[in-house]
């Protein structure tokens, strides 16, 4: 996946919308496979890539709304100044819309955002990829956790304060 400053390139994974005349990310339906974990890798960026996310109060606000948005569980995540990478999984057997879940917590965070001058906070859409194998989860996590180092924010991934794991999302193949 090609990334510019942590967000996928404009052309990659895009579709053209006749109604708006704009390109937008493709969101493929979540595909359930009874013998595999259902894990989604998500990237969400700030509007115009404003560097406003790497802050202790914002970190706490995001965690609050991810906890409130109970349809999906957030696993590991990294928050950089202008984007978030996270892994998530449905919280029940009936898989609800990832798009609706994203809209719920993004709207909640926006309503409680501490500074009006930063609004709007988010790009309209987000990028998602369903993981197909355990190696993919491990590889993507290594990529994600090294983001702050690649961007020159820290020299050691362990020292980046805006990361964590809210729920353990184990991978299984049976």
């Amino acid at each position: 996946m090609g990334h510019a400053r942590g967000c996928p390139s404009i052309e990659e994974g895009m579709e053209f919308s006749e109604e708006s005349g704009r390109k937008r990310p493709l969101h493929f339906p979540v595909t359930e496979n009874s013998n595999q974990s259902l894990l989604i890798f998500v990237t969400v960026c700030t509007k115009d890539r404003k560097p406003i996310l790497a802050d202790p109060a914002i970190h706490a606000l995001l965690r609050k709304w991810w906890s409130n948005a109970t349809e999906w569980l957030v696993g590991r995540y990294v928050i950089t100044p202008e984007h978030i990478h996270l892994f998530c999984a449905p919280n029940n057997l009936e898989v609800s819309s990832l798009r609706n879940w994203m809209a719920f917590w993004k709207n909640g965070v926006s309503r409680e955002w501490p500074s009006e001058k930063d609004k709007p906070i988010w790009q309209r859409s987000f990028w998602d990829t369903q993981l197909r194998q355990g190696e993919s989860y491990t590889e993507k996590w290594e990529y994600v956790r090294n983001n702050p180092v690649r961007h020159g924010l820290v020299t050691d991934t362990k020292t980046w304060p805006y990361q964590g794991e809210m729920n353990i999302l184990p991978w299984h193949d049976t």
Side-chain angles (χ1 to χ4, degrees):
M1 182 180 335
H3 289 72
R5 297 188 61 205
C7 295
S9 69
I10 297 300
E11 298 303 318
E12 184 178 321
M14 299 294 283
E15 71 178 344
F16 185 78
S17 170
E18 292 290 332
E19 309 85 55
S20 67
R22 299 175 68 187
K23 290 187 177 186
R24 63 179 184 224
L26 291 172
H27 295 290
F28 296 104
V30 173
T31 305
E32 291 187 71
N33 189 345
S34 62
N35 63 349
Q36 284 187 339
S37 299
L38 183 55
L39 297 176
I40 309 296
F41 173 59
V42 175
T43 300
V44 60
C45 300
T46 59
K47 177 89 169 138
D48 301 323
R49 295 199 172 101
K50 294 179 281 196
I52 56 175
L53 298 175
D55 175 272
I58 302 306
H59 187 184
L61 184 59
L62 286 162
R63 288 181 59 93
K64 171 188 168 184
W65 278 97
W66 290 336
S67 293
N68 289 343
T70 59
E71 301 249 332
W72 287 73
L73 299 174
V74 173
R76 294 174 176 168
Y77 66 89
V78 172
I79 302 165
T80 70
E82 74 279 339
H83 69 277
I84 301 167
H85 289 300
L86 62 84
F87 295 89
C88 60
N91 192 22
N92 54 45
L93 295 176
E94 288 291 317
V95 179
S96 64
S97 165
L98 181 63
R99 194 177 304 222
N100 290 346
W101 175 75
M102 294 288 295
F104 176 81
W105 69 257
K106 284 167 66 176
N107 288 334
V109 167
S110 295
R111 282 193 311 273
E112 290 189 36
W113 196 264
S115 174
E116 284 297 316
K117 72 177 179 58
D118 293 335
K119 293 181 179 180
I121 307 301
W122 308 108
Q123 279 186 356
R124 178 172 290 183
S125 198
F126 59 92
W127 302 88
D128 60 303
T129 303
Q130 183 170 341
L131 303 184
R132 306 269 182 224
Q133 53 188 330
E135 297 83 39
S136 177
Y137 186 25
T138 301
E139 289 168 16
K140 288 222 185 294
W141 173 241
E142 285 306 310
Y143 168 81
V144 166
R145 69 186 291 260
N146 283 299
N147 237 355
V149 173
R150 276 192 306 280
H151 291 275
L153 301 169
V154 291
T155 56
D156 182 359
T157 59
K158 295 175 190 149
T159 63
W160 184 246
Y162 310 111
Q163 63 180 321
E165 183 173 30
M166 293 189 63
N167 297 280
I168 296 172
L169 305 177
W171 181 267
H172 73 273
D173 289 313
T174 55

